Amino acid sequence: MTDISNIAPRDKAEILAQALPYIRQFHGKTMVIKYGGNAMTDPELQADFAEDVVLLKLVGMNPVVVHGGGPQIEAALGRLGKKGEFIQGMRVTDAETMEVVEWVLAGEVQQDIVGLINQAGGKAVGLTGRDGGMIRAQKLRMVDNADPNKQHDVGQVGDIVAIDPSVVKALQDDQFIPVISPIGFGAENESYNINADVVAGKLATVLQAEKLVLLTNTPGVLDKNGKLLTDLTAREIEELFADGTISGGMLPKIAGALDAAKSGVNSVHIIDGRVPHAMLLEILTDQAYGTMIRSH
Ligand code: ADP
Ligand code: MG
């Protein structure tokens, strides 16, 4: 924990009091938070994140956590002598990779986050998209970004068919904090690996969330010169797609974010998860962080 003993009591009180309007405004509102993957790097930041989630819950908001797991999946694949392959930001998922994805996400990453939140005094419940029949999916038909006549086969990568949020609602109406692994199920009960940002975006829409916060390992969306873009509209995003400024994992992230913004989620932010308590700063202060995604 950072040492704050040299901050004057008067300033501490002022800082706390300034959170009040946000606590009032967001009371009872759902906040969908994408965590994990590349933002889940160091133990101290993880503990800070868990504290932030518990604090939001205790002041009356409904945080829902969706987690990723890119680096953790990569490490597990490496132990099997495999290396991940990506096409347009999506992990090519053969049957063996799907098995690894399932046990790393649901078995390892999700349970780590559940444990941390519980340690911070919350009551987290881990779920995959199978639980409560939450995330129905089908095989993603990926069209090439440059050539609409070309398709890519990315294996068991899922495209969301529908989300039934009833299990999440039941949990959040009680005192629980749902922690969701982005795994969907198909018509034949087969498993699908779905990009966590896409799940977070869709879930925020279905839950009519107030905010969608995507924590990642960059300061936000960067322009060609590496400068932070604090604000992006749908049209600006199209231009960034077209000129190749956005690539890799940022492609599904922005797609998920824009989808949520267009579907009525009030505020959508891509922020730097490497900053301690980044989420708390975003939600409970008037300072702008990272990139805000706007529908128009
Ligand atoms: P996460 O685990 O947070 O989903 P990803 O690796 O999937 O992380 O996506 C974030 C990555 O997207 C960044 O680390 C960066 O390498 C890449 N990226 C591509 N284009 C951009 C851009 N214009 N601005 C910021 N990051 C970008
Ligand atoms: Mg990603």
Side-chain angles (χ1 to χ4, degrees):
M1 206 178 270
T2 316
D3 182 19
I4 55 164
S5 56
N6 56 353
I7 299 178
R10 192 199 156 102
D11 293 338
K12 276 187 198 163
E14 187 54 37
I15 290 166
L16 288 169
Q18 280 186 8
L20 178 63
Y22 299 98
I23 293 174
R24 199 193 302 130
Q25 185 183 353
F26 299 142
H27 192 93
K29 299 276 165 69
T30 298
M31 306 284 170
V32 174
I33 301 144
K34 151 72 191 314
Y35 181 61
N38 287 303
M40 192 178 172
T41 45
D42 101 25
E44 211 164 313
L45 286 173
Q46 290 175 19
D48 287 348
F49 170 80
E51 281 174 10
D52 292 0
V53 171
V54 173
L55 192 147
L56 295 182
K57 185 75 179 177
L58 291 179
V59 299
M61 299 174 206
N62 290 316
V64 174
V65 179
V66 176
H67 71 85
Q72 295 84 350
I73 292 166
E74 215 46 51
L77 287 174
R79 290 197 290 273
L80 298 173
K82 278 176 92 96
K83 198 175 158 6
E85 185 197 331
F86 289 84
I87 299 178
Q88 294 178 183
M90 298 293 193
R91 178 184 296 283
V92 179
T93 309
D94 61 13
E96 193 184 20
T97 302
M98 188 67 229
E99 264 182 57
V100 173
V101 166
E102 283 203 83
W103 56 254
V104 171
L105 292 184
E108 182 186 323
V109 180
Q110 176 207 85
Q111 286 304 302
D112 280 351
I113 298 171
V114 165
L116 285 165
I117 292 175
N118 292 351
Q119 236 181 345
K123 290 190 177 182
V125 176
L127 304 163
T128 76
R130 285 185 184 283
D131 291 287
M134 188 185 354
I135 307 175
R136 269 200 288 133
Q138 62 189 15
K139 185 176 161 72
L140 177 72
R141 308 256 162 245
M142 185 188 277
V143 177
D144 190 85
N145 277 345
D147 177 0
N149 295 317
K150 195 173 149 199
Q151 285 204 3
H152 298 282
D153 187 350
V154 283
Q156 274 168 266
V157 172
D159 192 13
I160 298 173
V161 173
I163 292 192
D164 176 350
S166 49
V167 63
V168 175
K169 283 191 176 149
L171 289 170
Q172 70 173 21
D173 286 347
D174 213 321
Q175 55 195 314
F176 300 106
I177 299 166
V179 177
I180 299 163
S181 308
I183 295 164
F185 64 97
E188 310 294 327
N189 200 31
E190 72 278 24
S191 296
Y192 285 107
N193 172 26
I194 313 177
N195 181 279
D197 297 301
V198 173
V199 170
K202 191 59 106 203
L203 194 62
T205 301
V206 172
L207 288 169
Q208 297 178 293
E210 170 70 22
K211 270 185 198 274
L212 169 65
V213 181
L214 305 170
L215 292 157
T216 185
N217 65 341
T218 66
V221 183
L222 308 176
D223 72 10
K224 267 207 188 64
N225 305 313
K227 206 172 135 268
L228 177 66
L229 297 159
T230 54
D231 235 332
L232 282 176
T233 61
R235 164 136 26 110
E236 289 164 337
I237 288 169
E238 254 170 53
E239 287 166 12
L240 294 173
F241 273 141
D243 72 6
T245 307
I246 295 171
S247 62
M250 197 49 83
L251 290 167
K253 200 180 298 297
I254 298 232
L258 189 58
D259 187 39
K262 283 183 171 168
S263 319
V265 176
N266 255 338
S267 75
V268 179
H269 300 266
I270 296 173
I271 65 172
D272 194 341
R274 300 166 306 176
V275 174
H277 297 292
M279 186 177 44
L280 215 54
L281 292 169
E282 203 309 300
I283 296 178
L284 293 182
T285 72
D286 55 8
Q287 202 157 337
Y289 289 91
T291 305
M292 180 163 183
I293 309 291
R294 299 179 193 278
S295 55
H296 51 263

